[in-house]
Amino acid sequence: MAPLGILQLAAYLEQHGHPCAVYDCLGPGAPASLAANTEIILATNPKLVGFSATTSSFMAAFELAARIKASRPAVQIVFGNVHVSAIGGELLRHFPEIDYLCLGEGEGTLLDLAEQRDLREIANLCYRSGEDIVVNPRRQRILDLDDLPFPAYEKLAGFPRGYHLPLFSSIKRYGATMVTSRGCPYTCSFCDRTVFERWYRTNSAAYVYEHMKYLRDRFGVHHINFYDDLFTAQRERVTALCEQLIAQPLGMNFNCAVRTGHTSDALLRLLQRAGAVMVSMGIESAAPGMMERHKAGVSLDAVRQTVEQIHAAGLRAKGLFIFGLPGETPETIAATSDFMLSLGLDDMNMSKFSPLYGAPIWDECVGGESGEFNEDWRLMNCLNFAYLPKGFASRAQMDALYNTLVRRFYDSKGFRRRFARRLWQHRWSLWQVLKNLPKTIQAARYFNRSKADLERVGPVFAPHPRQPRGLTPSLSPELVADGLAAVGQIEVSRRPAA
């Protein structure tokens, strides 16, 4: 999918008169070697190179940055995104090749760097001053997101044809992703909110409509996946957007995420009339104790009712689950699998739990009392079991059970019947499957691996020699308080003081 964060930053710098180039190291046609990627970046003759890196991609980004620095020492290197925002200045002690860190929102910080302002005056910046690491105060958040330009999609090679939404999630081509808000009003135990912290802001309905229209008219996009943490948090905004899409149709479809308690029959019917195809909802687990611990305020009865409402509105329902949170056992995941099938979901996503440095559950994961944590950043990508709860004997056992659960859902008669009815709608996805048939077969074989097969595979690779371990998250007092409340240690009131 398109790297929206860095595209947004590029558009902001261009808006203020600073020419940029955008390069997606995992984009269509990107070479595999670090040397080739370095040459492509240096060919743009940059003065400043910014890396947007998650925890799992940080070491690969660092290796690329180190090559750039070795080739052209004068090029300044700045890193941002959630991993940097959660750990902070300690990263500069371990990675001297990196000049700056951006903690939090990046637009204003990158603009100040591009305009060569005094480092001491650049909010959100972390830098070296002799032997010291300086962490400047946080910047005032961008309160009106409508002031921001649309992401610089035109700078992304291969967009949109080289980028694809999840298979069978859309009925029109081509697809793209959008994020129309920043932050989330909730604090789940497993979620890192260090970039936007407590602040929750949204684009207006009018801005979102124009953004969709721009993607359609400029790039031929006809399906949008909204990746907001909670698209329907502000019902008035969503209602206004849907009403405009009904009154002035764009011929586009979209998917979005809802949360139990943030929807209604009327809103779901409005979403369907406006072009929505599928809505996702975070369920995480079907074991009541796990839900209370990690996603308070969501009950199984409420989830079931919401799925029924989604289907009654003529929409598809997709469930989002997490396997392997602290407290998980073979019994809790079996309960989740049973519940998943009973809901009659149209699709599901089961992530493998990866601890995040800024998440409330982090201290428990690294403490060792409830499980064993392999702090290898490259494995912390929700595709590997970096964390082994005490309820399981091995990661191979977890992987085998995960494969069984996935097969059970997609092999079920209910799912196959629902899928068969929509087969012609998904002709573009089927075409992608046929074009990539060897990879499809390889994936299918993976999900048929037994526990014994997985045990024989062993570790994927040795630890990275440059990755530090045991770093402590650097969180604001507000996030610390929210985290303690999320794991049930204190109660927090957010009512304004009298």
Side-chain angles (χ1 to χ4, degrees):
M1 296 184 287
L4 293 181
I6 206 112
L7 293 175
Q8 185 75 72
L9 296 174
Y12 188 81
L13 287 172
E14 291 266 349
Q15 184 184 55
H16 289 82
H18 297 280
C20 297
V22 172
Y23 180 60
D24 184 358
C25 300
L26 297 177
S33 73
L34 283 169
N37 280 284
T38 303
E39 289 180 8
I40 292 172
I41 294 170
L42 290 178
T44 66
N45 195 29
K47 295 180 180 179
L48 175 72
V49 178
F51 287 85
S52 179
T54 61
T55 299
S56 62
S57 65
F58 186 90
M59 294 311 299
F62 157 71
E63 290 177 347
L64 188 54
R67 283 176 172 267
I68 292 171
K69 202 70 173 176
S71 179
R72 296 188 193 173
V75 174
Q76 295 179 313
I77 303 291
V78 56
F79 270 57
N81 207 325
V82 63
H83 185 72
V84 165
S85 296
I87 298 176
E90 197 63 25
L91 289 171
L92 291 183
R93 301 189 191 279
H94 294 276
F95 300 100
E97 297 87 346
I98 301 174
D99 297 298
Y100 311 116
L101 303 177
C102 175
L103 312 180
E105 286 184 325
E107 284 86 357
T109 304
L110 280 183
L111 180 59
D112 287 348
L113 281 174
E115 294 182 347
Q116 300 181 335
R117 296 186 183 275
D118 187 332
L119 297 181
R120 295 170 296 180
E121 299 176 359
I122 302 179
N124 281 16
L125 188 71
C126 180
Y127 63 97
R128 297 182 191 83
S129 178
E131 296 297 318
D132 298 325
I133 303 296
V134 180
V135 180
N136 288 345
R138 281 295 185 104
R139 182 179 297 268
Q140 173 65 42
R141 311 307 190 275
I142 299 172
L143 298 181
D144 190 351
L145 299 185
D146 286 4
D147 290 338
L148 296 173
F150 300 148
Y153 302 103
E154 70 280 358
K155 295 184 177 294
L156 195 60
F159 180 83
R161 287 163 177 76
Y163 290 83
H164 304 283
L165 300 179
L167 289 170
F168 309 108
S169 67
S170 59
I171 57 179
K172 293 181 180 179
R173 64 172 186 176
Y174 293 94
T177 54
M178 284 174 56
V179 176
T180 68
S181 61
R182 292 189 175 183
C184 179
Y186 291 94
T187 305
C188 295
S189 72
F190 48 83
C191 191
D192 187 322
R193 300 190 302 154
T194 51
V195 174
F196 302 126
E197 295 187 311
R198 279 182 165 184
W199 292 70
Y200 177 68
R201 296 145 290 154
T202 66
N203 288 117
S204 67
Y207 182 98
V208 176
Y209 180 88
E210 290 301 321
H211 192 168
M212 294 174 69
K213 186 173 184 293
Y214 173 73
L215 282 167
R216 183 199 67 177
D217 294 346
R218 176 73 185 273
F219 301 102
V221 169
H222 284 88
H223 190 104
I224 300 294
N225 266 19
F226 289 107
Y227 276 104
D228 300 59
D229 289 329
L230 182 51
F231 186 69
T232 58
Q234 290 186 354
R235 191 170 302 188
E236 297 81 3
R237 177 184 83 115
V238 177
T239 299
L241 172 62
C242 290
E243 289 175 346
Q244 188 168 3
L245 287 169
I246 294 168
Q248 300 171 281
L250 295 174
M252 301 177 73
N253 294 117
F254 61 91
N255 300 340
C256 63
V258 302
R259 179 184 170 107
T260 299
H262 278 282
T263 188
S264 66
D265 292 334
L267 182 61
L268 290 168
R269 287 195 298 268
L270 195 61
L271 285 167
Q272 194 275 337
R273 289 179 59 205
V277 174
M278 180 166 63
V279 296
S280 305
M281 57 186 304
I283 303 170
E284 322 313 348
S285 174
M290 293 286 288
M291 294 190 75
E292 182 178 352
R293 185 177 181 184
H294 299 294
K295 201 175 183 72
V298 176
S299 70
L300 298 182
D301 288 341
V303 168
R304 188 180 299 280
Q305 180 183 0
T306 303
V307 172
E308 291 172 355
Q309 289 177 307
I310 292 169
H311 283 152
L315 295 164
R316 302 182 198 172
K318 181 175 183 178
L320 309 178
F321 301 87
I322 299 177
F323 183 166
L325 286 158
E328 192 85 271
T329 65
E331 291 74 27
T332 62
I333 201 64
T336 298
S337 180
D338 290 343
F339 184 67
M340 185 189 302
L341 287 181
S342 74
L343 291 175
L345 294 170
D346 300 278
D347 201 357
M348 71 91 174
N349 185 300
M350 174 69 76
S351 297
K352 297 179 180 179
F353 170 62
S354 291
L356 300 173
Y357 282 85
I361 205 72
W362 173 260
D363 287 342
E364 179 178 347
C365 293
V366 299
E369 293 183 7
S370 60
E372 173 205 312
F373 176 36
N374 178 9
E375 194 181 354
D376 189 324
W377 293 348
R378 296 166 298 173
L379 295 177
M380 294 163 62
N381 56 7
C382 298
L383 300 172
N384 297 279
F385 285 117
Y387 180 77
L388 175 66
K390 282 200 169 178
F392 292 90
S394 68
R395 289 177 172 82
Q397 179 193 9
M398 295 179 73
D399 273 315
L401 195 53
Y402 177 91
N403 290 351
T404 299
L405 186 151
V406 171
R407 289 199 314 270
R408 186 185 183 204
F409 177 82
Y410 288 109
D411 286 344
S412 67
K413 291 181 179 179
F415 174 80
R416 291 190 171 192
R417 183 172 60 251
R418 290 186 293 273
F419 182 79
R421 288 200 302 262
R422 302 191 296 260
L423 200 58
W424 178 245
Q425 288 183 331
H426 291 308
R427 53 194 178 276
W428 303 120
S429 289
L430 289 171
W431 172 238
Q432 290 297 327
V433 169
L434 291 173
K435 283 198 334 184
N436 297 278
L437 195 56
K439 291 182 179 179
T440 305
I441 295 172
Q442 182 182 13
R445 286 175 176 168
Y446 172 82
F447 285 102
N448 282 299
R449 284 182 174 180
S450 66
K451 179 174 175 287
D453 293 334
L454 293 164
E455 286 175 338
R456 281 194 292 270
V457 172
V460 179
F461 39 58
H464 195 290
R466 289 290 303 272
Q467 186 212 302
R469 292 172 181 252
L471 299 185
T472 303
S474 178
L475 308 179
S476 68
E478 292 80 10
L479 285 187
V480 171
D482 284 354
L484 291 173
V487 295
Q489 296 185 34
I490 62 172
E491 292 186 3
V492 174
S493 173
R494 295 190 182 175
R495 289 179 295 179

